């Protein structure tokens, strides 16, 4: 049986033909129109679904269903997007709107929750029933899987780990509060921290790597740290503390089998993951006396949301 997974992002809407084993046979995308009326975006999604089916050579009626991952507060029971600031949606009955046009079952979920489900079904969390997925990108997204099911809270509005406070009256967050984990642990925050350090340390290798890349990025401090630069290493170590602080909070609340780390910063690989594992193991409640929680790099990367959307159908 084949399914179509849709992953709606701020920049693009990605879609793919996927089977129940998580094999992706065909992927395509269209540009997101973030400020358009929802009818326009629904039309783009329906057009993408039809074009995928046509190109793959399968009739819509032969598909098992459509799964859609969407940023924001999603109520899967009502089939509505309650609120999404990335695409200016509020109380949009998206399931009904799409089903009217394609006549197939449609399942929806928050994009981070879908990514978490995708990792459990097809990725680094395969075989686990209790995980927390954390994506370190423009913001910090979290998806929580408890006993094999998405934990999304009342009305689908829960699971927003990026907006727990780790410092009272700290850095301002895009949500309006101060001190949110996202304001310290996102790739955006890492770039800000790197730029501040570069201003204080004009001789740091971070300047050289930023020039070679043409910009200051989430990699700049890591590249300098690996090259032996003290200022770069200081940025990395402080950033690790910020990321680990939120992870430790999540461990203390949920005690999952594993923490799965995705997003662009996760590409720093074992160098980054080992540092996180050390702090999580040391500072989680009870330390080594309580059950060990693995910190793992998520495997599915940019396909996690798409595959997780399909997993909603399974």
């Amino acid at each position: 049986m084949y399914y179509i997974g849709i992953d709606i992002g701020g920049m693009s809407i990605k879609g793919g033909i996927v089977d129940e084993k998580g094999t992706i046979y065909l992927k395509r995308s269209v540009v997101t129109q973030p400020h358009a009326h929802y009818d326009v975006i629904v039309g783009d999604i329906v057009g993408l679904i039809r074009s995928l089916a046509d190109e793959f050579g399968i009739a819509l009626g032969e598909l098992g269903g459509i799964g859609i991952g969407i940023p924001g507060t999603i109520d899967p029971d009502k089939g509505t997007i309650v609120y999404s600031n990335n695409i200016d949606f509020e109380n949009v009955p998206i399931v009904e709107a799409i089903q009217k046009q394609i006549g197939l079952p449609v399942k929806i979920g928050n994009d981070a929750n879908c990514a978490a489900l995708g990792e459990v079904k097809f990725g680094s969390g395969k075989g686990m029933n209790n995980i927390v997925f954390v994506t370190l990108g423009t913001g910090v997204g979290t998806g929580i899987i408890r006993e094999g099911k998405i934990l999304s809270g009342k009305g689908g509005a829960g699971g927003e780990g990026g907006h727990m406070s780790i410092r009272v009256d700290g850095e301002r967050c895009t949500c309006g509060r101060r001190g949110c984990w996202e304001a310290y642990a996102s790739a955006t925050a890492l770039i800000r921290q790197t730029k501040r350090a570069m201003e204080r340390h004009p001789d740091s290798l971070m300047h050289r790597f930023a020039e070679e890349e043409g910009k200051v990025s989430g990699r700049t401090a890591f590249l300098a740290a690996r090259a032996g630069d003290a200022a770069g290493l200081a940025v990395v170590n402080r950033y690790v503390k910020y990321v680990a602080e939120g992870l430790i909070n999540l461990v203390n609340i949920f005690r999952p089998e594993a923490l799965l780390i995705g997003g662009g910063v996760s590409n720093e690989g074992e160098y980054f993951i080992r540092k996180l594992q050390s702090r999580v193991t040391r500072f989680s409640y009870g330390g080594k006396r309580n059950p060990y929680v693995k910190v793992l790099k998520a495997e599915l990367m940019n396909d996690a949301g798409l595959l997780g959307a399909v997993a909603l159908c399974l």
Side-chain angles (χ1 to χ4, degrees):
M1 181 68 74
Y2 298 104
Y3 302 83
I4 288 182
I6 301 290
D7 183 15
I8 302 177
M11 301 297 290
S12 67
I13 301 172
K14 294 179 288 188
I17 300 277
V18 183
D19 68 14
E20 65 273 9
K21 295 180 181 178
T23 303
I24 300 174
Y25 292 88
L26 177 67
K27 285 195 298 184
R28 293 291 180 264
S29 66
V30 296
V31 175
T32 303
Q33 303 182 61
H35 302 296
H37 188 271
Y38 80 82
D39 281 342
V40 175
I41 294 183
V42 166
D44 289 341
I45 294 169
V46 170
L48 181 58
I49 290 169
R50 292 186 185 281
S51 66
L52 282 165
D54 287 345
E55 187 173 347
F56 191 63
I58 189 171
L60 287 178
E62 296 177 71
L63 293 167
I66 311 295
I68 307 175
I70 308 159
T73 302
I74 311 302
D75 190 332
D77 294 328
K78 294 181 179 179
T80 61
I81 303 172
V82 179
Y83 174 68
S84 179
N85 63 304
N86 287 342
I87 47 178
D88 287 350
F89 275 7
E90 190 167 348
N91 295 320
V92 173
I94 190 167
V95 168
E96 180 184 1
I98 292 175
Q99 282 181 337
K100 278 183 179 179
Q101 297 190 55
I102 62 170
L104 285 171
V106 176
K107 300 288 186 180
I108 61 171
N110 168 271
D111 57 348
N113 290 341
C114 285
L117 190 61
E119 289 289 345
V120 165
K121 185 74 176 174
F122 305 115
S124 55
K126 195 170 183 178
M128 300 181 192
N129 288 316
N130 296 279
I131 65 98
V132 177
F133 172 83
V134 178
T135 178
L136 305 173
T138 304
V140 173
T142 57
I144 301 156
I145 305 294
R146 297 294 293 170
E147 302 305 325
K149 298 180 180 180
I150 295 171
L151 180 63
S152 57
K154 184 177 181 180
E160 293 289 347
H163 297 288
M164 61 181 165
S165 176
I166 63 168
R167 186 171 182 178
V168 175
D169 297 327
E171 297 273 5
R172 182 173 293 281
C173 181
T174 55
C175 76
R177 294 179 72 204
R178 288 187 177 274
C180 289
W181 188 30
E182 179 172 296
Y184 291 89
S186 64
T188 307
L190 173 57
I191 291 168
R192 182 172 61 246
Q193 294 155 19
T194 301
K195 288 179 177 178
R196 289 173 180 172
M198 289 171 66
E199 290 175 1
R200 296 192 302 269
H201 301 280
D203 297 328
S204 168
L205 289 176
M206 288 185 286
H207 292 275
R208 190 190 87 190
F209 286 113
E211 185 176 349
E212 289 176 357
E213 284 194 288
K215 62 180 179 179
V216 178
S217 73
R219 301 180 63 222
T220 304
F222 279 94
L223 289 168
R226 285 189 171 98
D229 181 70
L233 181 60
V235 172
V236 168
N237 286 341
R238 180 163 291 277
Y239 177 71
V240 165
K241 287 182 180 180
Y242 289 143
V243 176
E245 195 69 18
L247 295 179
I248 291 162
N249 290 342
L250 292 168
V251 168
N252 290 345
I253 296 168
F254 297 107
R255 189 60 60 164
E257 296 167 73
L259 297 160
L260 310 182
I261 311 301
V265 185
S266 72
N267 289 326
E268 298 303 326
E270 282 303 307
Y271 176 81
F272 180 45
I273 297 298
R274 281 198 304 270
K275 287 175 178 287
L276 292 176
Q277 182 73 74
S278 176
R279 292 193 68 83
V280 167
T281 301
R282 181 180 177 187
F283 294 110
S284 294
Y285 179 72
K288 294 183 178 179
R289 292 179 292 275
N290 276 338
Y292 179 71
V293 178
K294 293 180 285 187
V295 181
L296 302 171
K297 182 181 182 297
E299 290 179 4
L300 302 180
M301 299 306 291
N302 292 333
D303 292 330
L306 188 155
L307 288 169
V310 168
L312 293 174
C313 300
L314 303 176

